[in-house]
Amino acid sequence: MNAKQLQYAPDSFTKQFVTLSPFSGQVVSLSHIDDPYYKSGLMGPGAATSSTSNTVLSPFAGKVLTVSPLDYAIDIQSSAGLKCKIKYGGDTSHLHGAQFACSLKRGDEIRLKQVLFTVNAAWLKQRGVSNTCSMTLLNANALIGVVPTHQKFVEAGEDTLLTLYL
């Protein structure tokens, strides 16, 4: 478990930010993801959503850092400097980016709720890829803590997935 991941808001903090969920579905803990780096907290604190949705939205305005089709992932940075990795599925490298569509590239500006990428969830499920989308914070060391939502289900671009405390 990541030390920055909290169950509840800290007693004292300077600022609080909310990040919207990039994906609609049932909220699941990162410990349920079939990837040792996420389970152990090496990818940073965060949360995941399990769903049959095909669309991943931006949880905030900012810019694209990297797009990794083999990992079905995108790294983005908010205008406030927060860096996040949004990844779909478990090990997808053997699929060579098939059924992953992203028109963004490094350095592109992104808007809140903009489509980051799409996947063919049904096709991936047929190939045994988990239909889980995770969002982790890559630079959480500057934060006091991160509290995942207590909701059971979230709607992409509508509901908060993570609340961050500075």
Side-chain angles (χ1 to χ4, degrees), residues 19-93:
T19 58
L20 296 178
S21 180
F23 203 61
S24 295
Q26 184 176 355
V27 177
V28 292
S29 163
L30 288 179
S31 61
H32 290 91
I33 292 185
D34 191 22
D35 182 315
Y37 294 109
Y38 285 85
K39 275 187 179 172
S40 63
L42 287 174
M43 300 309 284
T49 315
S50 175
S51 164
T52 53
S53 174
N54 295 317
T55 307
V56 178
L57 302 181
S58 177
F60 46 69
K63 68 179 180 184
V64 176
L65 298 175
T66 59
V67 176
S68 178
L70 288 183
D71 288 334
Y72 287 63
I74 189 167
D75 291 359
I76 56 176
Q77 182 173 356
S78 74
S79 32
L82 177 72
K83 294 179 183 175
C84 285
K85 175 180 284 299
I86 298 174
K87 181 179 186 313
Y88 186 93
D91 180 15
T92 54
S93 58

Side-chain angles (χ1 to χ4, degrees), residues 34 88-92 94-95 121-132:
D34 191 22
Y88 186 93
D91 180 15
T92 54
H94 64 288
L95 301 170
W123 184 86
L124 289 166
K125 190 98 177 127
Q126 289 172 342
R127 277 144 192 86
V129 172
S130 138
N131 61 346
T132 305

